[in-house]
Amino acid sequence: MEEFFENELVEKFEAMVENNDEFYFETEEYEEIIIYYLEMGDISFADMATKYGLKIHPNSLDLKIKQFEVFLELEKYAEAKELMNNLKESCMDNTDFLVCCAKYYSNLGNPRRSIEFCETALKLEEEENFLHNFIADEYVNLEDPFKALKHYKLALNFDPQDEYSLENVMFCYNQLKRSDEAIEFLNGYLDKFAFSETAWYEYGQFYFNKKKYEEAIKGFDYLLAINPQSVGVYANKAACFEAMGEWLKAVAVYEEMLALEYTKSFTFYKIGLCYKENKQPVLALNSFQKSLRDDPQFYLSMMEQSYVYEEMGGMKEALHFAKEAVSLNESNLDYQKRLAFLFIEGGKFEESLACLKRLVDYEPTRFYNWYAYSEVLMLIGEFEEAVNVLIAATKMHNRAELFYQLSNCYLQLNNQKKGRESLATALELDPHLLEDMQQKYPFLKDEVDKVKAKKK
């Protein structure tokens, strides 16, 4: 890899461009330079190298094919089409050209035409693994997993250790809901390639998805025996124990992960969750605190501390950590709801209003956001503001509860006319709520008979 980055030809080419010199490069050398830039994703330099190359070698078909590839990367499809048509007569026996044609049609959303060019290229008996994968991908785009499966398997025949093909074989089996065939195929593959990390990973995932967690752990253990540094596999193994409710075994696996990780905050967080599920709140809090020492901005651990303190009866601490979590992730509406709940639970109604307002602003289609917001406004005596909120709410939700609330606000403000109008609407929408609403809003009791009498 280091040799690739220190390409002498590329360095010479860049020196030529920078100093405005004129060096001579063979066609093959320009090809190598262009391929380097394409591999690095530096398309502008690939384009520049192509232009320099064609200036020196204007009749080179190989460089023109590279220009075709650059046009596709730059999404210059009109130029690509013109060049493709110019090259067709002389390049139909060139695999690179045919692949570019296939990419052109694939990029334009014509997978069937793309497949035709790949099939033509296969006759040249070059790059078979790549071409079968390409064809299979196009069949996936056509939502034909049966044919895709066939070509991913053919790709594996040409390169039995191609991880991409293997992963997609399992994907297709899953799409086709052929789990028995999938595991038969995978076992056969493992008989031949017992040290394939990808195969053991797929084995573990297959049984995890089947909720056969002990068999999944077997697969992950084989993988860890091959590569003990696979951090993600420890997480998968721990997830199996979590799914089985074996919380302390999951903790043990996560602790193995810690020795391999540079950033440990998420793993400490997962350990904390396991201790929380295992009804060990003190150990859970300890793990969440370690998570925050590793990353003070890790709001997930901050909020989990809030939940644990609430369960332990420490409402002051629960509120503190919820406030900290919200300050780190204000856009999380679930956090805003929790903070509003804790403020209300602690009798801090005015402090809850900022959270409730954010909820109605960002989730106006949720009825209970409006209901809670107006309820708190009434609790602190802000009836005029509650009226404004409820009028906006009734435009979104034609619910009886809102009109009962609105009636109460108008009556509190000595506006009997509007109070009775709102109460009449509420009774039309849902008279069965009246008894509960009268208990919440005693002012309604004196007005109900008047409203009913007026309706008669």
Side-chain angles (χ1 to χ4, degrees):
M1 181 61 74
E2 187 176 339
E3 292 175 3
F4 181 79
F5 283 110
E6 296 177 355
N7 190 300
E8 290 183 9
L9 274 175
V10 170
E11 289 176 2
K12 184 179 177 182
F13 173 75
E14 290 182 0
M16 178 188 76
V17 173
E18 186 176 343
N19 298 318
N20 202 23
D21 292 330
E22 289 189 13
F23 299 152
Y24 180 81
F25 292 92
E26 298 287 351
T27 304
E28 294 80 6
E29 291 178 317
Y30 266 116
E31 276 190 86
E32 184 180 328
I33 293 167
I34 296 163
I35 289 169
Y36 171 90
Y37 287 126
L38 288 171
E39 291 283 341
M40 294 294 291
D42 193 339
I43 311 305
S44 60
F45 262 85
D47 186 33
M48 184 191 301
T50 304
K51 288 173 181 174
Y52 270 95
L54 285 170
K55 185 178 178 182
I56 303 299
H57 308 285
N59 299 317
S60 168
L61 291 177
D62 290 330
L63 288 179
K64 287 180 180 179
I65 292 169
K66 284 289 170 239
Q67 186 178 46
F68 185 7
E69 189 173 349
V70 169
F71 282 152
L72 293 176
E73 291 292 333
L74 293 170
E75 299 183 4
K76 293 183 175 181
Y77 295 117
E79 292 93 330
K81 183 178 181 182
E82 182 181 356
L83 185 56
M84 178 174 65
N85 290 333
N86 291 338
L87 294 174
K88 264 184 184 176
E89 187 174 339
S90 53
C91 294
M92 288 301 287
D93 60 349
N94 184 296
T95 301
D96 287 344
F97 172 73
L98 293 169
V99 167
C100 283
C101 293
K103 286 181 179 178
Y104 170 82
Y105 284 107
S106 177
N107 290 358
L108 292 182
N110 189 345
R112 295 194 185 281
R113 191 82 175 99
S114 175
I115 288 168
E116 289 175 12
F117 277 99
C118 287
E119 288 174 339
T120 301
L122 279 171
K123 295 173 185 175
L124 302 176
E125 298 184 347
E126 298 173 349
E127 302 289 341
E128 289 98 336
N129 166 262
F130 172 83
L131 289 166
H132 280 297
N133 275 328
F134 198 140
I135 292 170
D137 288 345
E138 294 304 292
Y139 278 123
V140 169
N141 292 335
L142 288 166
E143 298 182 356
D144 188 343
F146 181 79
K147 288 183 179 176
L149 175 62
K150 170 189 170 184
H151 284 279
Y152 286 129
K153 282 186 171 182
L154 287 169
L156 269 180
N157 287 342
F158 288 100
D159 182 359
Q161 299 193 57
D162 180 358
E163 295 179 2
Y164 182 80
S165 306
L166 179 58
E167 288 170 2
N168 280 290
V169 164
M170 296 303 291
F171 167 78
C172 290
Y173 275 128
N174 185 53
Q175 291 291 104
L176 292 164
K177 298 185 176 6
R178 295 183 175 181
S179 57
D180 290 342
E181 290 179 42
I183 199 60
E184 182 181 348
F185 166 83
L186 200 51
N187 282 326
Y189 185 89
L190 284 166
D191 286 342
K192 297 176 184 175
F193 304 99
F195 294 96
S196 169
E197 293 183 40
T198 301
W200 281 116
Y201 178 82
E202 292 292 334
Y203 184 97
Q205 283 298 111
F206 175 85
Y207 281 110
F208 182 86
N209 293 334
K210 288 285 180 185
K211 298 184 179 179
K212 295 182 177 180
Y213 302 115
E214 291 183 358
E215 194 65 27
I217 290 169
K218 173 184 169 184
F220 294 135
D221 277 339
Y222 271 109
L223 179 45
L224 289 172
I226 298 166
N227 183 2
Q229 305 299 311
S230 296
V231 175
V233 181
Y234 285 98
N236 289 333
K237 181 179 174 181
C240 292
F241 284 123
E242 289 181 64
M244 296 163 67
E246 298 278 1
W247 307 110
L248 296 182
K249 288 183 179 179
V251 167
V253 177
Y254 283 127
E255 286 176 343
E256 290 182 74
M257 278 179 64
L258 288 171
L260 302 173
E261 292 181 305
Y262 178 73
T263 302
K264 306 176 189 293
S265 52
F266 186 77
T267 303
F268 278 124
Y269 164 72
K270 292 293 288 184
I271 291 171
L273 291 179
C274 289
Y275 279 130
K276 179 184 170 188
E277 291 291 338
N278 205 48
K279 309 300 181 188
Q280 294 176 280
V282 175
L283 290 174
L285 285 174
N286 185 44
S287 297
F288 294 136
Q289 287 160 8
K290 286 179 180 177
S291 171
L292 288 166
R293 279 199 290 273
D294 189 70
D295 179 3
Q297 304 294 309
F298 199 74
Y299 53 83
L300 292 171
S301 290
M302 196 76 75
M303 186 57 87
E304 281 301 326
Q305 285 193 85
S306 174
Y307 284 118
V308 174
Y309 275 116
E310 182 187 0
E311 289 175 10
M312 295 171 69
M315 298 305 292
K316 181 180 177 182
E317 292 83 358
L319 177 59
H320 166 76
F321 285 108
K323 286 167 69 175
E324 290 292 318
V326 168
S327 72
L328 294 169
N329 190 3
E330 290 187 354
S331 62
N332 189 315
L333 296 182
D334 288 333
Y335 283 16
Q336 293 285 348
K337 289 172 190 174
R338 171 157 177 76
L339 183 56
F341 162 77
L342 289 171
F343 275 133
I344 293 168
E345 191 75 6
K348 299 184 178 184
F349 301 118
E350 292 187 6
E351 288 92 331
S352 73
L353 291 175
C355 302
L356 294 167
K357 186 176 187 310
R358 185 179 288 268
L359 292 174
V360 299
D361 286 344
Y362 286 91
E363 285 186 332
T365 58
R366 289 182 66 89
F367 158 72
Y368 284 104
N369 290 342
W370 295 95
Y371 185 74
Y373 189 21
S374 55
E375 191 71 17
V376 172
L377 285 168
M378 287 189 287
L379 282 169
I380 63 174
E382 293 288 347
F383 295 106
E384 290 184 2
E385 182 61 25
V387 166
N388 294 331
V389 170
L390 285 163
I391 288 172
T394 55
K395 291 176 182 177
M396 298 289 299
H397 306 277
N398 192 34
R399 293 279 296 257
E401 295 95 322
L402 299 176
F403 285 99
Y404 281 117
Q405 287 181 317
L406 190 55
S407 175
N408 178 60
C409 289
Y410 281 130
L411 294 172
Q412 293 280 358
L413 293 167
N414 295 317
N415 190 335
Q416 271 70 28
K417 181 183 177 184
K418 287 190 175 180
R420 290 167 190 167
E421 288 174 357
S422 300
L423 182 55
T425 304
L427 288 167
E428 284 180 15
L429 289 170
D430 193 342
H432 302 294
L433 287 174
L434 177 60
E435 186 176 342
D436 288 340
M437 290 297 168
Q438 283 180 317
Q439 290 181 4
K440 288 185 72 173
Y441 314 123
F443 272 42
L444 300 182
K445 294 178 181 178
D446 296 334
E447 301 298 326
V448 172
D449 292 338
K450 297 173 185 176
V451 169
K452 290 181 177 179
K454 186 175 180 182
K455 289 174 76 173
K456 290 179 182 176

